[in-house]
Structures are given as structure tokens and as C-alpha cells.
């Protein structure tokens, strides 16, 4: 079962970035797994969760959903008996079909986007209340407040926002591997996403003779190749002997949800959390037809979607504009994908 987390903003279409020359490896420890987060000093890259605690683990994360792509990925994950972490953007939960997906999938993270993408002009209390509103919207559907959060403009330029999020007890999530699903975003090229994984795993083993661990950044929108490429990605992970986990399994976190959307007063788990009876990890191989998933779902080969019921078709945040955040998020790749070497 996938996990829902908190997420920041909608991504903008980025210029393709070249894959890192060296394999990314685990950074320092993940989030606290019980009680309030006492580390409330200035936010640095070390405060972002960017790798798992156990070598050989892969935590796939998908931001900016839910969307039509979410439903397709859920079908693939069910066949693979695999788990990932979806970061829900509460903006989309006003639409009935996306609220239904969120409730059914029990997504585990949250994406948060500041009004106007800056804390300037907003008081600390206004920002906290806005975060809490998004968290409560998700809690209304899944029964828990997400703890794991991705922020739009995921860099250190808005230190005030990051420190507020940290002080509220949320865990900031980064990555040490990018699957480039916004680059390989057509039915013809989405199979190349798996080659990113294959190259990373192979270079890691050739260089160090052992597995690393990865928190992987992907984007849960129809205009990327994430859904179409997922079957081959899972098969590649399986072939290299890695273990797919949600972020709670990645960090050995038995309490991956907040008790309160504003207060930093502790965390809770549920029956599917790490260490609980229904916790699951791992995967099995799935059937894969190049481009088949996208075509069968009525997504055009270019990855576009003209259906007026799809994300943001009549709102100011269209499916395409949701990719606007990707460009800014990509700015942290040099820090995360290159600096964190084993």
C-alpha cells in the first residue's frame, strides 16, 4: 500500500538535466521516530531526508499528485505487491476523483506550496495555519496527519519557511536520485527511466562492491513518464536485488504521522506502519509492454492529457503548470545527487 506524505508546489517543465556521473549514496540518518522533533535550529541540507538507513533499500517518491497517473501507478504497484510514497498536493483534493484516489490509496506524504511561492508578506502564524489547513484536508480523507513533507522551491532560499516547517515537527524530504521522468515523458522514451536506475545500481556496485540506498524523486502527473515507466523500473529494482520500501520503512519509522497539524507534540503510527503487523515491503516482477500502460489509459504518446476533467484543466494550475516546480527542485541535484557519495 502506498504512503501519503505532504508536498509543496506544482512543478514547472524543466530543462533536462544530465544524470549524475557518480552514484548517489546514503546521507545521514532520517527523521525522528517518536516524540517531538527537538532539532529546531537553522535548516541545512542535512535536515532533508535523502537516503535510507539500510543499504539495499529504494524508496520511490512521487510528488504533485493525485492525478490520473496515480491510478495507473496503483494498478502497477498492486501487481508488483510493492510500496511507494505519494506526496499529496491538497490543492487537488477539491476535485472528487482525486479525493477518492487519496482515500483509497491512503497516500502518505504532503506537498506544500506557499501562496505566491514566498514567505514574504505572510506572518509566521499565517503560514502555519496554511500548512495546517492542507494537512487537515488530507487527514479528513485518510484519518492521519502526514509527517513527511516536500516543499515547492525545494532549496534553501526560503529559510524562514523551512524553519517553520521543521519547528512544527514535519520531516523535510529530499532525494539522492532523480528518475528523470519529466525528461523521458513519452510512451517511446519512458522505458529509459529504468536505465537511470540500472546505471546507478551498476556504477554503485562497480565502484564500491556493495549496495547503497536511495530516496528517488519522481512526479505524479500525467505529463511525465512516471506511470508508463514504473513497470520496468520495478523489474530493474528486482533484478539488482534492491528492496522497495515506503519512507517509514526507509527510516525505520514506526510513527510516520503527526499527532497535530501545527503542534510539534509527537507522532503516531497505524497498522501498516513500519514494525506493525500489516507493514509490507519488497516487490515482484511485473509484465511490461513498452508504452503500453500510457496508451491503454488514453494518455497521448507525448504524455499530454486534453481531458477537461484532468488536473487543473480549468484552474490556474494546469497539469502542465504543475511541472513548474520541477525546474526549481532540480536546482538541488548537484548538492544531493553528487555530494552524497558512499
Amino acid at each position: 500500500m502506498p504512503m501519503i506524505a505532504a508536498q509543496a508546489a506544482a512543478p514547472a517543465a524543466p530543462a533536462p538535466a544530465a544524470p549524475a556521473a557518480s552514484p548517489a549514496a546514503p546521507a545521514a540518518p532520517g527523521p525522528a521516530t517518536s516524540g517531538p522533533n527537538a532539532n529546531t535550529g537553522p535548516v541545512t541540507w542535512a535536515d532533508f531526508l535523502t537516503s535510507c538507513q539500510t543499504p539495499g533499500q529504494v524508496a520511490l517518491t512521487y510528488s504533485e499528485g493525485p492525478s490520473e497517473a496515480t491510478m495507473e501507478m496503483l494498478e502497477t504497484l498492486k501487481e508488483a505487491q510493492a510500496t511507494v510514497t505519494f506526496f499529496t498536493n491538497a490543492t487537488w483534493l477539491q476535485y472528487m476523483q482525486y479525493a477518492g484516489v487519496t482515500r483509497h490509496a491512503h497516500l502518505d506524504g504532503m506537498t506544500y506550496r506557499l501562496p505566491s511561492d514566498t514567505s514574504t508578506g505572510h506572518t509566521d502564524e499565517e503560514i502555519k495555519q496554511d500548512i495546517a489547513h492542507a494537512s487537515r484536508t488530507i487527514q479528513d480523507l485518510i484519518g492521519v496527519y502526514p509527517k513527511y513533507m516536500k516543499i515547492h522551491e525545494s532549496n534553501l532560499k526560503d529559510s524562514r519557511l523551512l524553519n517553520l516547517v521543521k519547528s512544527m515537527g514535519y520531516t523535510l524530504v529530499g532525494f539522492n536520485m532523480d528518475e528523470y521522468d519529466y525528461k523521458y515523458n513519452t510512451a517511446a522514451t519512458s522505458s529509459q527511466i529504468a536505465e537511470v536506475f540500472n546505471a546507478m545500481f551498476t556504477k554503485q556496485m562497480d565502484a564500491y562492491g556493495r549496495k547503497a540506498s536511495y530516496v528517488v524523486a519522481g512526479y505524479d502527473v500525467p505529463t511525465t513518464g512516471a506511470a508508463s515507466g514504473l513497470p520496468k523500473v520495478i523489474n530493474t529494482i528486482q533484478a539488482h536485488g534492491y528492496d522497495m520500501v515506503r519512507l517509514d520503512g526507509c527510516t525505520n519509522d514506526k510513527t510516520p504521522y503527526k499527532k497535530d497539524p501545527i503542534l510539534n507534540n509527537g507522532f503516531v503510527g497505524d497498522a501498516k506502519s513500519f514494525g506493525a503487523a500489516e507493514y509490507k515491503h519488497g516487490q515482484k516482477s511485473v509484465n511490461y509492454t513498452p508504452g503500453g500502460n500510457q496508451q491503454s489509459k488514453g494518455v497521448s504518446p507525448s504524455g499530454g492529457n486534453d481531458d477537461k476533467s484532468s488536473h487543473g484543466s480549468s484552474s490556474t494550475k494546469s497539469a502542465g503548470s504543475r511541472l513548474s516546480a520541477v525546474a526549481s527542485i532540480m536546482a538541488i541535484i548537484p548538492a544531493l545527487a553528487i555530494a552524497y557519495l558512499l
Side-chain angles (χ1 to χ4, degrees):
M1 187 59 115
M3 180 178 193
I4 296 179
Q7 177 176 329
S22 304
T33 59
S34 64
N37 181 357
N39 182 14
T40 56
V43 171
T44 68
W45 288 127
D47 290 295
F48 285 78
L49 170 60
T50 58
S51 66
C52 301
Q53 293 188 0
T54 303
Q57 292 183 331
V58 178
L60 301 184
T61 70
Y62 295 98
S63 305
E64 300 306 332
S67 71
E68 291 80 1
T70 318
M71 301 176 230
E72 184 174 344
M73 286 191 279
L74 288 173
E75 292 182 10
T76 300
L77 293 167
K78 182 178 180 179
E79 181 183 349
Q81 298 178 16
T83 60
V84 302
T85 299
F86 287 103
F87 284 82
T88 300
N89 188 331
T91 301
W92 304 113
L93 300 184
Q94 62 183 301
Y95 300 104
M96 187 178 298
Q97 67 268 38
Y98 302 135
V101 171
T102 299
R103 185 176 182 185
H104 173 73
H106 192 45
L107 308 181
D108 299 311
M110 184 174 91
T111 302
Y112 177 67
R113 179 175 196 163
L114 264 172
S116 303
D117 293 329
T118 176
S119 62
T120 302
H122 303 283
T123 67
D124 288 1
E125 186 59 27
E126 286 172 341
I127 295 172
K128 288 182 177 182
Q129 290 296 334
D130 194 53
I131 293 171
H133 174 73
S135 182
R136 290 189 184 104
T137 299
I138 296 171
Q139 191 270 346
D140 283 344
L141 294 172
I142 67 173
V144 286
Y145 299 110
K147 176 169 73 174
Y148 295 103
M149 181 184 285
K150 282 193 174 182
I151 302 290
H152 181 49
E153 299 284 356
S154 186
N155 52 50
L156 298 180
K157 74 177 187 180
D158 199 333
S159 58
R160 177 164 162 250
L161 169 62
L162 296 178
N163 276 284
L164 281 172
V165 169
K166 182 180 174 182
S167 71
M168 294 167 72
Y170 289 94
T171 296
L172 292 164
V173 178
F175 58 93
N176 62 359
M177 180 177 173
D178 182 352
E179 72 170 29
Y180 297 102
D181 52 30
Y182 50 86
K183 176 181 178 182
Y184 302 116
N185 62 353
T186 69
T189 62
S190 62
S191 63
Q192 291 300 308
I193 297 171
E195 295 307 312
V196 175
F197 287 78
N198 182 58
M200 187 71 82
F201 296 157
T202 300
K203 289 178 181 179
Q204 168 67 29
M205 187 58 65
D206 288 348
Y208 302 105
R210 62 185 183 274
K211 294 182 176 70
S213 70
Y214 301 95
V215 174
V216 183
Y219 299 94
D220 177 12
V221 290
T223 48
T224 74
S228 183
L230 183 57
K232 193 172 181 182
V233 165
I234 292 173
N235 290 350
T236 301
I237 292 171
Q238 174 81 349
H240 283 268
Y242 277 78
D243 182 31
M244 288 180 64
V245 295
R246 303 188 320 179
L247 286 180
D248 55 341
C250 174
T251 58
N252 297 341
D253 186 358
K254 295 182 179 180
T255 55
Y257 305 104
K258 281 172 57 65
K259 287 184 177 180
D260 185 273
I262 290 184
L263 301 177
N264 184 7
N265 63 349
F267 310 106
V268 296
D270 64 9
K272 293 181 172 64
S273 300
F274 174 77
E278 298 179 34
Y279 170 75
K280 294 181 180 179
H281 63 97
Q283 69 284 327
K284 68 174 187 176
S285 297
V286 298
N287 293 325
Y288 171 70
T289 302
N293 285 6
Q294 276 191 333
Q295 299 292 353
S296 66
K297 300 299 178 184
V299 179
S300 68
S302 65
N305 192 328
D306 294 326
D307 184 351
K308 295 304 180 183
S309 67
S310 65
H311 264 150
S313 56
S314 60
S315 71
T316 57
K317 298 175 183 175
S318 67
S321 69
R322 297 177 68 195
L323 288 175
S324 61
V326 173
S328 57
I329 292 172
M330 293 308 300
I332 71 174
I333 284 181
L336 296 181
I338 297 176
Y340 292 117
L341 300 179
L342 188 61

